[in-house]
Amino acid sequence: MGDLFRSQEMTLCQLFLQAEAAYACVSELGELGLVQFRDLKPDTNAFQRKFVNEIRRCDEMERKLRYLEKEIRKDGIPILDTGDNPEAPNPREMVDLEATLEKLENELREVNAYAESLKKNFLELTELKHILRKTQTFFEEALHDQHMTEEAVGLMTEEGMMAGGQAAGLRLQSVAGVILRERLPAFERMLWRVCRGNVFLKQAEIDTALEDPATGDKVLKSVFIIFFQGEQLKTRVKKICEGFRATLYPCPDSQAERREMAISVMTRIEDLNTVLNTTVDHRMRVLMAAAKNLRLWFIKVGKIKAIYHTLNMFNVEATNKCLIAEAWCAVDDLDKIHLALRRGTERAGSSIPPILNRMSTREMPPTYFRVNKLTSGFQSIIDAYGVASYREANPSPFAIVTFPFLFAVMYGDFGHGTLMFLAALWMVLREKQLAPTAKLSEIWATFFNGRYIILMMGAFSIYTGLIYNDCFSRSVNIFGSGWSVRGQFNQSLTPDQIRTQVRGIESLQLNPNDAQAKAWRANPYPFGLDPVWQVSGNKITFTNSIKMKTSVVLGVIHMLFGVFVSLTNHLHRRDMLSVVGEFVPQVLFLLGMFGYLVILILYKWAVYSGRNSNCAPNLLIGLINMFLFRYDKATNGCPPIYTGYQGLQTFLVLLIIPCAPWMLLVKPLILRRRQQMLARGGAMMGQQHPQPQMQPDAGVDGGDQTELGMGQQQDGGNNIHDGDKAVDMGAGYGDHGEEVDIGEVFVHQAIHTIEYCLSCISNTASYLRLWALSLAHAQLSEVLWGMVLAIGLKREGFGGCLALFVAFSFWALLTVVVLLLMEGLSAFLHALRLHWVEFMNKFYKGEGYKFEPFSFARAELEM
């Protein structure tokens, strides 16, 4: 709780690392993940830094690894993930890793090129095989076709093709090939138009799909043969085939030659198939060997690249023997950093230990909270509004409870909360197995990363659902109702007859003051809402009154708590002037107006019951009359709300009125007065004691800077980032001793005063969204039950079973999509707004920047 309420105390350190040990030391710090390095050469181009060549080598290795990964995934080979996290290899091992990846890439490219050439040859032989088969079929069909003339048959036979119809002066030629099936209709039309119908085309589809050697996709093709006469038509036909990317193959005119070529093709196909299978097996072995180490290679290369990126941010001494770095780290982690540097020095075999100095600076340190799996999600919600300023009170520990609770107030349903809780519990219990899948989808990653938030929201929704006695819009009678409706019917009727009459009543009105009906037994339901209100016609009137007042009570308590959190900020900075000039009037203003309203609500609930509800006062009208000093006398024989309320309300109004000028004037006027006194005192001291000249070589902020060995620390002097820093705002000076502009202080205080006074009213009204969203969720759930599921429940017999199955399926789908997802998201966003605007603006500035340490674990997550 302490680590999460205020950020860690940070310090700026300076490191002196020997050149030969710098790589190993940075590697150890990356494994530790507790140091954020500063770029000491921000104006230097990335290509002009010392280790740019090493980074280029790492980029080249990453390119080779991505190529290997693409080929492995193309063949569907699983990549082995043992969960090991190897250390960053030494620079000497980097050369061996480069050689290994270079060898694998070259071998794989050669195998792929050879396999592609073999597949291309295999495709050509396969197409030629189909051409020879189909053309033979063409000629055989022509000989047996009864519709063809003897002259056409004679021309298409092999004797006619070879000798030609010399008597008629004819010489037919043919072209055979293969074309994509989808291009065949357009190909046929083009032949007909260009050749003007002077060609004869025969085509047949290839039954099996062929593999494209370039892409590996399966394509459908058709075989064609074209008969024509003359060289001019031959030229046109070949150009058309070339335009449609058809592949032409030689087709002998003689049947014997076609048969001989087919036998030769089949022999070559069998030999090629054997060689191709051997090549594919060799490629598979290479990829499987690479898949076993691919993930480890990715990690090693990523760590090497991260180390050299970090080393590029260091300054290099003129002799190139020492690297100088500056880094932020938590004060509590200095011992761990010392040990990591010592391990890095020993690993590199260096005899000179690194030097670690704590520096003094006026720069605002980064904000660092130690979070775990449960708190990281809530911290992300706060950081989305703005990262906390350094050592500022963090709303996250309170949001762990208040955020799911306010969500549950708007989403109170036992059934829906149980479904949400079980879904989140499944993600929590199987988080190790589901963690790798979070990278596949951004939407799924959002739900998975917020699994603990969803778990808490579901648990709180179960609790509020029990209070509302609402489970999928139905109530559960656990303890027995405190109402009885028997008195509203004839006492001679049996219980079954009464139930029949109750079903016929459209709305049953519950009135505790109806003495004749004797419905109220004067024993409240032990926990939550009485289930009898589920069937009552005035249920909404009753629940609206309770939920509206509850929303105001919760809102005022939430805002008041935020104001008291601001007190912790003032006390931490030892800013007593802000305590007196801001905190005290803010508390009095909020308590005098809305705190009093909360007390009246609780008092009304405690004092007034169904017996005297006709005398219960209207609290809103009473609050307005309080500021108008209008106190009406008791009417209808009802006594006042309590004795002496006129005097107390008058006192509260007189207490509230001066709070606004108190917030506006007290702090600026005191600042102005102290600044004037300090200025007059400084002038008098200057006349009596002239100021000595400052030495030009004084340390930063007056603190001595000396190089210290490992394990020693330096007193930073006036460290602005000390955890117990005192800011004397009362002296009229800013955070660093600069003189402030009183005019700006007046303007800032005026804006702050107006904003606070108006926001107290608007924010209190904004908490009524708790009531509105709860009402909307309950009504929508009741509509889905009454208009969808109830239809199936009312039917009987086999048709009723079928109707119930359909109705339940539709109802379950709408429940998940509308009530769990859409309504859950709506309540989530409204709870988010109540924290960001209504709660956090009372104390939270959010002007810091996040601590982002150099960590190999973070780099792996980003990969």
Side-chain angles (χ1 to χ4, degrees), residues 272-323:
L272 192 61
N273 198 20
T274 303
V275 177
L276 186 58
N277 289 335
T278 304
T279 305
V280 171
D281 291 341
H282 176 65
R283 181 177 183 272
M284 186 67 67
R285 287 193 299 270
V286 173
L287 292 178
M288 291 181 66
K292 294 179 181 179
N293 301 312
L294 186 67
R295 181 184 175 275
L296 299 180
W297 287 339
F298 263 116
I299 295 175
K300 289 181 178 180
V301 174
K303 288 185 177 182
I304 295 172
K305 187 177 179 180
I307 291 172
Y308 282 119
H309 264 301
T310 304
L311 291 175
N312 272 339
M313 296 192 294
F314 296 178
N315 276 333
V316 183
E317 196 184 19
T319 59
N320 290 330
K321 294 183 179 180
C322 180
L323 298 179

Side-chain angles (χ1 to χ4, degrees), residues 392-464:
E392 182 183 25
N394 183 21
S396 180
F398 313 118
I400 294 175
V401 176
T402 59
F403 185 86
F405 176 73
L406 292 182
F407 170 87
V409 172
M410 296 179 281
Y411 196 78
D413 189 290
F414 179 82
H416 299 150
T418 301
L419 294 179
M420 184 178 294
F421 179 82
L422 293 178
L425 184 63
W426 173 73
M427 289 188 286
V428 169
L429 296 178
R430 296 183 57 85
E431 59 184 11
K432 291 184 179 180
Q433 294 85 349
L434 297 175
T437 63
K439 301 178 182 179
L440 304 178
S441 172
E442 185 176 356
I443 297 178
W444 166 243
T446 302
F447 284 100
F448 180 73
N449 294 333
R451 58 192 180 278
Y452 286 98
I453 300 178
I454 300 175
L455 184 74
M456 297 285 287
M457 293 191 304
F460 277 86
S461 296
I462 293 174
Y463 170 72
T464 54

